[in-house]
Amino acid sequence: MTKQICLIILVVITILMLLVTGCVTPPKGTTTSSTSSGYYATGTHASETTAPPAYVTEVTPYTKSSQDNQTHTSDINMYATPTPFPQDLSCLIYTNTQYYSYNTTAVTFDLKNPPMYINYTVKPFNITVNKVVSSKAANHQLGDVQTITFSDYAPYSWFDITVRDKSTGEIYLQDGFGQAKGYGIYTNATLKPILKTDDLQIEMRGNNITATTGIWVKPVGNFEDPQNKSFAECKYWGQIQNSLPVVTATTTTTWTPENQVTE
């Protein structure tokens, strides 16, 4: 009887051990081996992709509205050129074109409301100039010279405008064209405005030159009933810019041996 009880207990213990052993499940994601009744695991990890940090946010592009356009237009209008005052309009009261050869033409005008503007256009006399210079060309020897032929304004071609007090002769302005007289070489120019309130005498003289002279004043303040006056041309004078002379002749080059050059 005692043996049977021991046998039953042994069988029960064996069954329990088998049950416990069957409930043990190897960990997922590992490979197992029964060597020495133990487990070793070789880990397999899934690769992960990490998104870069977002420093900006994508948005819909900005579109200008009609209100923005109106604002921009109003800003432009703020800097628009103001409309000139009618009383600042100047009109051409005298124009004259003639050839000068040491002769003078003079006119007078009682300037009550300055300024007075005077402009001119000249056609000076040209001469041919032969200028000898040293040659710097690579295919010429030391001592070779180059003769340049070109057209230039004649030094004796000049034009002069003088504005003075008619009674005393005091000169308010004297300017014109021609380096021989110490003037510039502007063929089209406007002189400095006359700001004197006075009975003025304007004198035009010159030599070997054709000149057109224009005198401009404001009708308002200088004429009675200016609305009924008839002027050939009127305009508002802004910043005065003189015109540089235009080259009037082509340049030709000839080579001349040094021993044949004559002054």
Side-chain angles (χ1 to χ4, degrees):
M1 182 71 180
T2 304
K3 287 183 177 182
Q4 292 178 348
I5 294 172
C6 290
L7 181 61
I8 292 172
I9 294 172
L10 181 61
V11 171
V12 171
I13 293 173
T14 302
I15 293 172
L16 290 175
M17 290 181 64
L18 291 174
L19 290 175
V20 172
T21 304
C23 291
V24 176
T25 304
K28 292 182 179 180
T30 63
T31 58
T32 62
S33 174
S34 59
T35 304
S36 303
S37 300
Y39 296 95
Y40 70 90
T42 302
T44 56
H45 301 282
S47 61
E48 297 181 359
T49 301
T50 304
Y55 297 109
V56 296
T57 303
E58 185 175 353
V59 295
T60 303
Y62 178 77
T63 303
K64 289 186 177 181
S65 63
S66 58
Q67 182 178 2
D68 295 326
N69 293 333
Q70 292 175 359
T71 303
H72 181 66
T73 303
S74 62
D75 292 341
I76 295 176
N77 292 335
M78 290 175 60
Y79 299 98
T81 303
T83 303
F85 296 106
Q87 58 268 28
D88 291 334
L89 185 69
S90 294
C91 296
L92 183 65
I93 62 170
Y94 173 83
T95 183
N96 177 57
T97 300
Q98 72 177 80
Y99 176 77
Y100 292 89
S101 181
Y102 289 108
N103 54 308
T104 303
T105 298
V107 296
T108 63
F109 183 80
D110 189 4
L111 184 62
K112 300 175 182 177
N113 184 21
M116 170 187 284
Y117 297 96
I118 302 176
N119 61 353
Y120 69 81
T121 300
V122 296
K123 294 181 179 180
F125 185 79
N126 288 347
I127 60 173
T128 300
V129 178
N130 296 318
K131 186 174 182 180
V132 179
V133 297
S134 298
S135 171
K136 295 183 180 180
N139 59 341
H140 289 88
Q141 299 179 357
L142 182 64
D144 286 347
V145 295
Q146 178 184 11
T147 300
I148 301 177
T149 302
F150 59 94
S151 183
D152 197 4
Y153 300 129
Y156 48 81
S157 184
W158 54 270
F159 179 66
D160 179 284
I161 295 178
T162 302
V163 181
R164 66 176 76 243
D165 183 303
K166 181 181 177 181
S167 301
T168 65
E170 179 185 357
I171 296 177
Y172 297 141
L173 175 68
Q174 191 170 39
D175 204 348
F177 169 88
Q179 293 180 318
K181 290 288 184 178
Y183 302 139
I185 54 174
Y186 293 106
T187 57
N188 189 342
T190 300
L191 305 184
K192 184 173 64 176
I194 305 299
L195 304 177
K196 290 284 187 178
T197 302
D198 202 349
D199 191 5
L200 304 175
Q201 179 167 311
I202 302 97
E203 300 170 350
M204 297 150 282
R205 60 176 181 160
N207 182 53
N208 273 63
I209 198 167
T210 299
T212 299
T213 307
I215 300 177
W216 306 69
V217 298
K218 299 177 183 179
V220 176
N222 286 309
F223 297 96
E224 295 181 2
D225 196 13
Q227 299 296 331
N228 293 329
K229 297 293 184 181
S230 179
F231 302 101
E233 185 180 356
C234 295
K235 67 178 180 179
Y236 293 98
W237 288 87
Q239 184 178 1
I240 298 173
Q241 294 183 345
N242 296 332
S243 302
L244 290 172
V246 179
V247 176
T248 57
T250 57
T251 301
T252 58
T253 302
T254 57
W255 291 99
T256 306
E258 185 179 14
N259 57 3
Q260 296 182 10
V261 175
T262 58
E263 295 289 336

